Amino acid sequence: MKSQDDHHKEIEARERKLREREVELRLREMEADIHLPVHKTVKHQPEKSQKPWMKKLVLGGKLFLLGVTALVAVRIASAVAGIVIISALVWIAYKLFFDSKNNRR
Protein backbone atom coordinates (compact mmCIF):
# COMPACT_ATOMS: atom_id res chain seq x y z
CA MET A 1 0.00 0.00 0.00
CA LYS A 2 2.81 2.33 0.82
CA SER A 3 4.27 1.94 -2.61
CA GLN A 4 0.92 2.84 -4.17
CA ASP A 5 0.57 5.82 -1.82
CA ASP A 6 4.13 6.90 -2.60
CA HIS A 7 3.50 6.40 -6.31
CA HIS A 8 0.21 8.35 -6.04
CA LYS A 9 1.93 11.21 -4.14
CA GLU A 10 4.75 11.25 -6.67
CA ILE A 11 2.23 11.52 -9.54
CA GLU A 12 0.39 14.33 -7.70
CA ALA A 13 3.69 16.15 -7.11
CA ARG A 14 4.60 15.84 -10.81
CA GLU A 15 1.13 17.08 -11.84
CA ARG A 16 1.45 20.02 -9.44
CA LYS A 17 4.88 20.92 -10.86
CA LEU A 18 3.52 20.57 -14.40
CA ARG A 19 0.57 22.90 -13.58
CA GLU A 20 2.97 25.41 -11.98
CA ARG A 21 5.13 25.36 -15.13
CA GLU A 22 2.06 25.84 -17.32
CA VAL A 23 0.93 28.79 -15.20
CA GLU A 24 4.42 30.33 -15.34
CA LEU A 25 4.52 29.82 -19.11
CA ARG A 26 1.10 31.46 -19.51
CA LEU A 27 2.19 34.38 -17.33
CA ARG A 28 5.34 34.85 -19.43
CA GLU A 29 3.28 34.76 -22.61
CA MET A 30 0.85 37.33 -21.18
CA GLU A 31 3.75 39.59 -20.14
CA ALA A 32 5.25 39.27 -23.61
CA ASP A 33 1.91 40.34 -25.09
CA ILE A 34 1.67 43.30 -22.72
CA HIS A 35 5.22 44.56 -23.13
CA LEU A 36 5.67 45.57 -26.73
CA PRO A 37 9.23 46.02 -27.92
CA VAL A 38 10.42 49.55 -27.29
CA HIS A 39 12.31 51.22 -30.11
CA LYS A 40 15.20 53.46 -29.29
CA THR A 41 14.43 57.04 -30.23
CA VAL A 42 16.88 59.09 -32.23
CA LYS A 43 17.05 62.87 -32.21
CA HIS A 44 16.19 64.37 -35.58
CA GLN A 45 19.29 65.59 -37.34
CA PRO A 46 18.50 68.27 -39.90
CA GLU A 47 20.15 67.95 -43.23
CA LYS A 48 23.18 70.16 -43.60
CA SER A 49 22.61 70.75 -47.28
CA GLN A 50 21.85 74.44 -46.75
CA LYS A 51 24.67 76.65 -45.64
CA PRO A 52 24.11 79.19 -42.84
CA TRP A 53 24.23 82.15 -45.23
CA MET A 54 21.59 80.46 -47.39
CA LYS A 55 19.26 80.14 -44.39
CA LYS A 56 19.77 83.82 -43.59
CA LEU A 57 19.09 84.73 -47.20
CA VAL A 58 15.84 82.74 -47.22
CA LEU A 59 14.79 84.31 -43.91
CA GLY A 60 15.61 87.80 -45.24
CA GLY A 61 13.58 87.11 -48.39
CA LYS A 62 10.60 86.01 -46.31
CA LEU A 63 10.86 89.15 -44.18
CA PHE A 64 11.08 91.34 -47.30
CA LEU A 65 8.00 89.69 -48.82
CA LEU A 66 6.13 90.16 -45.54
CA GLY A 67 7.00 93.87 -45.57
CA VAL A 68 5.92 94.28 -49.20
CA THR A 69 2.65 92.46 -48.47
CA ALA A 70 1.98 94.71 -45.47
CA LEU A 71 2.72 97.82 -47.55
CA VAL A 72 0.36 96.71 -50.33
CA ALA A 73 -2.34 95.88 -47.78
CA VAL A 74 -2.04 99.36 -46.20
CA ARG A 75 -2.22 101.02 -49.64
CA ILE A 76 -5.34 99.06 -50.58
CA ALA A 77 -6.96 99.77 -47.21
CA SER A 78 -6.27 103.51 -47.51
CA ALA A 79 -7.68 103.59 -51.07
CA VAL A 80 -10.86 101.79 -49.95
CA ALA A 81 -11.18 104.13 -46.96
CA GLY A 82 -10.78 107.16 -49.25
CA ILE A 83 -13.49 105.87 -51.60
CA VAL A 84 -15.83 105.24 -48.67
CA ILE A 85 -15.22 108.72 -47.21
CA ILE A 86 -15.70 110.48 -50.56
CA SER A 87 -18.85 108.44 -51.24
CA ALA A 88 -20.25 109.35 -47.84
CA LEU A 89 -19.54 113.08 -48.41
CA VAL A 90 -21.13 113.00 -51.88
CA TRP A 91 -24.21 111.21 -50.52
CA ILE A 92 -24.54 113.72 -47.64
CA ALA A 93 -24.14 116.65 -50.07
CA TYR A 94 -26.77 115.16 -52.38
CA LYS A 95 -29.21 114.70 -49.50
CA LEU A 96 -28.59 118.22 -48.17
CA PHE A 97 -28.61 120.21 -51.40
CA PHE A 98 -30.40 118.32 -54.16
CA ASP A 99 -32.78 115.85 -52.60
CA SER A 100 -34.33 118.33 -50.15
CA LYS A 101 -35.19 120.77 -52.97
CA ASN A 102 -37.10 118.11 -54.87
CA ASN A 103 -39.16 117.24 -51.80
CA ARG A 104 -40.20 120.90 -51.19
CA ARG A 105 -41.89 121.43 -54.58
Side-chain angles (χ1 to χ4, degrees), residues 43-52 54-55:
K43 185 177 178 182
H44 174 69
Q45 298 293 331
E47 294 181 20
K48 296 190 177 187
S49 62
Q50 290 185 340
K51 297 175 181 156
M54 188 67 158
K55 286 184 181 181

Side-chain angles (χ1 to χ4, degrees), residues 70-86:
L71 185 65
V72 169
V74 167
R75 291 279 180 129
I76 291 173
S78 67
V80 170
I83 291 170
V84 168
I85 290 171
I86 291 173

Side-chain angles (χ1 to χ4, degrees), residues 16-32:
R16 195 177 325 114
K17 284 183 181 180
L18 183 61
R19 281 190 298 251
E20 288 175 2
R21 285 184 200 153
E22 287 177 353
V23 168
E24 287 176 9
L25 182 62
R26 284 188 203 136
L27 284 174
R28 276 190 239 127
E29 287 175 352
M30 290 171 67
E31 284 181 358

Side-chain angles (χ1 to χ4, degrees), residues 47-98:
E47 294 181 20
K48 296 190 177 187
S49 62
Q50 290 185 340
K51 297 175 181 156
W53 62 269
M54 188 67 158
K55 286 184 181 181
K56 289 181 181 178
L57 186 66
V58 169
L59 186 62
K62 287 180 183 178
L63 184 61
F64 176 74
L65 287 177
L66 182 65
V68 168
T69 304
L71 185 65
V72 169
V74 167
R75 291 279 180 129
I76 291 173
S78 67
V80 170
I83 291 170
V84 168
I85 290 171
I86 291 173
S87 299
L89 289 174
V90 168
W91 182 76
I92 290 172
Y94 172 77
K95 285 293 185 180
L96 284 175
F97 300 115
F98 300 110

